């Protein structure tokens, strides 16, 4: 159950991301809700995050993901129920060349993209390397940027503090390099694949969990190959 202000903020963020593809700034949220200071927005966002309605993406300015919408009716739509389509906006990363035109809340995204699911990935102790293509899923183009993508089913709980849970499906942009702080698919010793945050420490590579129960694993760079970078996430409820 959300308070009136929490509901107003959630719907404002959702509508702004639908319109422009970019989350609103704290100043814009403050003005939209007619609050005196941004500290009130911080409290509302924290409350929405704790209730599982939004997720803040780490290491990116103004990066929010709307995870779900409340079951209540959206008053701005004249009593019609909102059809929620999850979308991740990640700062100024590459987007599709032409953003889609605005669609109503009850319309499906057009022309979804078929993405191959390449087996399972461990968010915990690394498991066997990525399997061959098992099946495909359809993904809204708004969730993907330019380039080649694939999907993996997550197993394990080492990335829960980054909002990635056992059973989620992660969308990965295929690439062989990544910046420190990004969440990647790493191949260790050409035989173990894992989903971790990349940290570079001197002449070593660290694969960092987002769960204090797991230790950071440190390798020489020749033992770790980047297979791709996390760009999106799908979850079944």
């Amino acid at each position: 159950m959300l308070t009136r202000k929490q509901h107003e903020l959630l719907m404002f963020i959702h509508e702004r991301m639908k319109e422009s593809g970019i989350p609103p700034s704290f100043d814009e949220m403050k003005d939209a809700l007619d609050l005196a200071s941004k500290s009130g927005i911080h409290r509302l966002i924290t409350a929405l995050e704790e209730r599982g309605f939004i997720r803040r993406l780490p290491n990116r300015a103004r990066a929010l993901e709307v995870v779900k919408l409340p079951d209540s009716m959206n008053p701005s739509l004249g009593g019609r129920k909102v059809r929620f389509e999850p979308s991740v906006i990640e700062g100024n990363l590459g987007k599709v060349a032409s953003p889609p035109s605005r669609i109503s809340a009850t319309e499906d995204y057009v022309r979804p993209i078929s993405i191959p699911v390449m087996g399972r990935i461990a968010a915990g102790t690394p498991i066997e390397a990525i399997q061959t293509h098992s099946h495909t899923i359809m993904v809204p183009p708004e969730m993907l940027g330019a380039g080649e993508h694939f999907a993996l089913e997550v197993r394990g709980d080492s990335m829960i503090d980054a909002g990635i849970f056992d059973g989620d499906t992660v969308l990965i942009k295929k690439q062989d390099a990544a910046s420190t702080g990004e969440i990647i698919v790493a191949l260790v010793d050409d035989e173990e694949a894992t989903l971790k945050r990349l940290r570079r420490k001197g002449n070593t590579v660290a694969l960092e969990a987002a769960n204090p129960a797991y230790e950071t694993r440190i390798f020489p760079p020749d033992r770790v190959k980047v297979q791709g970078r996390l760009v999106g996430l799908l979850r079944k409820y």
Side-chain angles (χ1 to χ4, degrees), residues 203-216:
N203 294 324
T204 63
V205 172
L207 300 179
E208 180 181 272
N211 182 336
Y214 291 83
E215 294 183 353
T216 297

Side-chain angles (χ1 to χ4, degrees), residues 150-163:
F150 60 94
L152 293 165
E153 297 173 354
V154 175
R155 290 294 177 266
D157 62 356
S158 77
M159 298 302 291
I160 57 174
D161 287 350

